[in-house]
Amino acid sequence: MDGVHTVRDIAAAFFFKFNRFDPDALRQLLRKARKLGLVEVRRTSLLRSRRVEEEPSAWSRWLRSLEWRWRAGADEAFSRLASQVGTLYSASMLPLHGVVALVGLLVYLSQRWTGGLSTPRSGLLWLAVFLLLIPITAVLHEFGHGLACKAARRRVQGVGMAFLDDLVPSVYVDVSDMWMAGRWARIGAFMGGPVTNLVLGGSFAILAWASDHLGASFALSAAADAQFAIALYTLWPFHVVREDGYEALTDLVRVPALRGRAWRMVTGWMTDAPADPGLTTPLRLLFGGWLLGSGLSLAGGASVIGYLIWTAVR
């Protein structure tokens, strides 16, 4: 129902799980999903809201013509990869991941604070290397999602490249089959990408600190910068774009469509729109906290980007 997956996919999953086909049960499921806010009739863009029935702009059509998706063989490829490194995503490895990520993060912060990690004299050189490493880091992030999906014994539906909100180029691994899994398994799949970045970032930071060769030290420290940047960006739940942290938060608090309902709460105060029938005091506090966090995040993100640009060109 997102343009790639349809009601037919839900019907097939229902049949494979219960070995029968029941149209009435599917209708009840869709009614319940819409009541819970899981099915939206509006699609929110990063720049503006638009109705699904609107004709896409020429810019949107051109960007969509550039999108690429590989489905046939994607799950088999991840199955082969999981057979070799899949144990790294098992529950028994979580304590080790936590130690490496925490120790590496502490080393990274302490060395960055004291200037212990190697950095070039030119800020533009650091920015160029950092931007070069971001796509590689994003690919590793998506591989983390895919391997976490296989660890939960679910199917990888495909891999590809698209433009988020008709603006941001992004690679992706389609793990939407996780929606047929349990709640904690879904949260684990959401966290698979950021955890991969945290562990790799911690490993690179420790290696950079231990390295005596300045060239290698700079490359490793820049790799740590990229890994931690992607991890922080995707873990932070207060985004205009729905990222892993947001998806995990909505599953954790059991409030689907948190962002949309929070904005509808605000617009409902300013218009005569009907109130959300399920809006309780705890939900008002949750929505208010999320909106406050989003506002502070936008202001803080703009400040950080401005500061990085200023330090790079000064």
Side-chain angles (χ1 to χ4, degrees):
M1 299 183 297
D2 58 2
V4 176
H5 303 91
T6 65
V7 176
R8 183 183 301 173
D9 295 316
I10 296 178
F14 185 94
F15 179 80
F16 288 132
K17 185 173 181 63
F18 300 108
N19 199 29
R20 63 188 178 90
F21 179 72
D22 189 344
D24 292 332
L26 291 176
R27 293 190 190 97
Q28 293 173 12
L29 171 65
L30 291 174
R31 280 197 295 268
K32 183 177 180 181
R34 186 163 185 176
K35 184 177 180 181
L36 290 172
L38 291 171
V39 177
E40 296 276 359
V41 296
R42 292 178 64 89
R43 183 171 57 186
T44 303
S45 172
L46 181 64
L47 302 179
R48 63 184 178 89
S49 295
R50 65 173 179 231
R51 293 192 179 276
V52 174
E53 62 268 18
E54 282 186 7
E55 182 69 21
S57 64
W59 170 257
S60 296
R61 290 195 298 270
W62 180 72
L63 286 179
R64 292 173 191 178
S65 70
L66 300 178
E67 294 179 0
W68 168 81
R69 180 179 176 86
W70 175 49
R71 298 189 69 172
D75 186 66
E76 291 75 8
F78 269 92
S79 295
R80 290 193 296 269
L81 182 62
S83 67
Q84 301 176 20
V85 299
T87 54
L88 295 175
Y89 288 82
S90 62
S92 60
M93 294 296 291
L94 284 177
L96 179 60
H97 292 334
V99 170
V100 173
L102 180 60
V103 171
L105 182 60
L106 292 175
V107 169
Y108 173 81
L109 293 175
S110 64
Q111 293 300 305
R112 273 284 175 236
W113 182 264
T114 60
L117 291 181
S118 175
T119 55
R121 292 182 179 274
S122 170
L124 286 175
L125 176 58
W126 172 86
L127 184 61
V129 174
F130 177 79
L131 293 177
L132 187 65
L133 288 171
I134 284 294
I136 302 172
T137 305
V139 169
L140 293 172
H141 175 96
E142 292 301 318
F143 268 67
H145 286 307
L147 290 171
C149 176
K150 296 308 298 182
R153 294 180 173 82
R154 305 305 302 188
R155 183 176 180 83
V156 173
Q157 303 281 19
V159 300
M161 188 280 293
F163 291 85
L164 293 178
D165 294 310
D166 293 341
L167 185 67
V168 184
S170 175
V171 294
Y172 67 87
V173 173
D174 184 350
V175 295
S176 55
D177 192 42
M178 290 302 303
W179 291 108
M180 301 295 178
R183 172 168 164 251
W184 289 107
R186 289 196 303 270
I187 293 175
F190 292 139
M191 292 293 98
V195 167
T196 299
N197 295 132
L198 287 173
V199 173
L200 288 175
S203 302
F204 289 142
I206 293 171
L207 290 173
W209 170 70
S211 175
D212 293 328
H213 194 280
L214 292 180
S217 180
F218 165 59
L220 290 168
S221 62
D225 290 335
Q227 295 288 342
F228 282 128
I230 291 290
L232 177 62
Y233 176 79
T234 55
L235 275 175
W236 195 246
F238 308 109
H239 276 305
V240 177
V241 180
R242 288 167 55 174
E243 285 292 349
D244 303 322
Y246 168 82
E247 300 287 7
L249 175 65
T250 58
D251 239 337
L252 190 64
V253 299
R254 298 178 183 271
V255 180
L258 189 156
R259 179 181 66 174
R261 294 180 67 186
W263 282 113
R264 282 197 294 272
M265 181 184 73
V266 174
T267 56
W269 293 338
M270 300 181 289
T271 64
D272 294 329
D276 187 335
L279 195 59
T280 61
T281 299
L283 280 179
R284 288 191 179 92
L285 293 175
L286 176 65
F287 294 159
W290 187 87
L291 290 168
L292 177 62
S294 298
L296 293 176
S297 296
L298 287 173
S303 301
V304 169
I305 292 173
Y307 172 77
L308 289 176
I309 294 175
W310 178 73
T311 55
V313 302
R314 66 175 179 174

